[in-house]
Amino acid sequence: MKLILLGPPGAGKGTQADILSKRLAIPTISTGNILRAAVKNGTPVGLKAKEYMDAGKLVPDEVIIGVISERLAEPDCQKGYILDGVPRTIPQAEALEKAGIVFDAVVSIEITDQEIVDRMAGRRVCTACGTPFHVKNMPPKTEGVCDNCGGKLEARADDKPEVVRDRLAVYHKETAPLKDYYGERKLLKMVDNQPTVAATTTAILEALGL
Ligand code: AMP
């Protein structure tokens, strides 16, 4: 199963990807997580990406295409994967297509900008493994500590309201056109965000016929 999760920042792509990943026994590939690790480790990719990420802008396509090609070539991707946060532009989607990758489905999580802005203020992410939490909707067992690996939870610098608004503008301009792109290829499944994480998972599985 090769799956793409589309949706604005904060739609719950990372959360749903983690759940689906366990259920389908395939890895989640999140370019956001890969880039945050690169920034933390001060790698050449991290140095290039940092200023874009801090500003809520997209990292240039050539950097992303390099990162994702390298990651998808690893052995754990042979049986399939879930892409979270990539592709984010038409050129990225075209690069995946040119690489001969055939996707089974593209799920777009539909949610309003206002819900996103309200939600982002409570988001916390593990600084060690990237697992997302939410202070109200999905609290960790111990405040500030990752359930998964015991790492420290922090708010993301790019979740500040003013940066969130810029990221939403970028989503509408650069990423939302991918819905038409994959709609034309008969791969698009639109799923409305539901009141709970579990209900959204159920809606996604239904849309996928699983
Ligand atoms: P995310 O965790 O997916 O919200 O990504 C955080 C930030 O990383 C984004 O705001 C971008 O600056 C950068 N980023 C992640 N994935 C991509 C991508 N596919 N294309 C361009 N920039 C990306």
Side-chain angles (χ1 to χ4, degrees):
M1 170 75 92
K2 293 193 178 99
L3 196 62
I4 295 173
L5 289 185
L6 278 184
K13 300 187 296 295
T15 301
Q16 295 299 334
D18 282 352
I19 296 169
L20 294 171
S21 180
K22 286 188 188 116
R23 201 163 162 141
L24 304 174
I26 48 175
T28 290
I29 315 300
S30 152
T31 40
N33 284 349
I34 295 173
L35 294 172
R36 276 185 288 279
V39 169
K40 201 168 142 196
N41 296 328
T43 68
V45 164
L47 295 176
K48 267 188 237 161
K50 187 175 184 326
E51 60 176 305
Y52 296 97
M53 295 175 77
D54 287 347
K57 297 210 170 77
L58 292 184
V59 172
D61 287 330
E62 63 271 21
V63 176
I64 298 295
I65 292 166
V67 162
I68 192 77
S69 319
E70 219 173 85
R71 181 63 187 91
L72 295 183
E74 285 179 29
D76 65 327
C77 290
Q78 299 318 306
K79 276 197 238 138
Y81 41 77
I82 300 166
L83 298 188
D84 160 20
V86 67
R88 241 173 166 112
T89 63
I90 299 278
Q92 291 178 21
E94 286 171 347
L96 294 170
E97 200 167 86
K98 260 202 211 127
I101 300 172
V102 180
F103 289 97
D104 295 281
V106 178
V107 172
S108 173
I109 303 178
E110 301 291 311
I111 178 167
T112 64
D113 286 6
Q114 190 55 51
E115 282 175 281
I116 294 291
V117 173
D118 294 344
R119 186 189 270 192
M120 297 294 250
R123 174 151 79 167
R124 300 290 179 272
V125 176
C126 176
T127 49
C129 75
T131 303
F133 294 87
H134 190 281
V135 291
K136 267 203 235 123
N137 309 341
M138 210 175 45
K141 290 191 187 99
T142 308
E143 199 186 314
V145 181
C146 177
D147 290 354
N148 207 24
C149 76
K152 188 169 167 235
L153 303 185
E154 275 181 3
R156 279 171 44 174
D158 59 354
D159 279 350
K160 287 192 212 88
E162 62 278 16
V163 183
V164 168
R165 273 188 282 276
D166 287 347
R167 291 169 66 205
L168 282 169
V170 170
Y171 168 77
H172 290 296
K173 181 161 178 274
E174 306 279 354
T175 309
L178 288 175
K179 288 198 258 178
D180 283 341
Y181 181 92
Y182 288 115
E184 282 161 16
R185 286 156 180 75
K186 309 276 178 254
L187 291 175
L188 185 71
K189 319 261 181 214
M190 308 242 261
V191 173
D192 284 333
N193 174 62
Q194 302 295 320
T196 65
V197 169
T200 304
T201 306
T202 304
I204 292 174
L205 290 171
E206 244 168 53
L208 293 174
L210 295 173

